Amino acid sequence: MLNTIIVAVIAASGVWVYVDATGYKIGKVKGTGGLFNMSAGAWGVVTMFLWIVGFPSYLIKRRALIERAKAAPVEVKGRWIKP
């Protein structure tokens, strides 16, 4: 039972990170390097599969990622989850 709850929380966090990142137009900016320069989908996948590192990293870097997205927004095409 506890394992099911943990998996559900991790999956929900990954979906939330993806929806949040696409809603703020966070994505990979060409010409910019760095470990945190990832697409919204990559943030979601990293959160799901490396939750202990990915989710806290996203939360810590979220404000800086939003500021960068204001200067260089990334439009996601074909997204079926709407914010």
Side-chain angles (χ1 to χ4, degrees):
M1 176 69 172
L2 183 61
N3 289 339
T4 305
I5 294 171
I6 291 170
V7 169
V9 166
I10 290 172
S13 339
V15 171
W16 177 82
V17 165
Y18 174 75
V19 170
D20 186 64
T22 56
Y24 282 108
K25 298 180 179 9
I26 294 170
K28 187 170 186 165
V29 178
K30 293 182 181 180
T32 305
L35 180 64
F36 300 108
N37 186 25
M38 295 189 286
S39 67
W43 275 111
V45 169
V46 167
T47 299
M48 281 193 190
F49 292 107
L50 297 171
W51 186 85
I52 198 73
V53 175
F55 191 60
S57 296
Y58 181 76
L59 293 177
I60 291 168
K61 295 294 291 180
R62 185 172 180 260
R63 182 171 290 146
L65 291 169
I66 290 170
E67 289 301 317
R68 186 177 71 191
K70 288 178 183 175
V74 176
E75 291 292 332
V76 177
K77 298 175 186 163
R79 186 178 80 170
W80 54 272
I81 300 175
K82 303 293 180 192

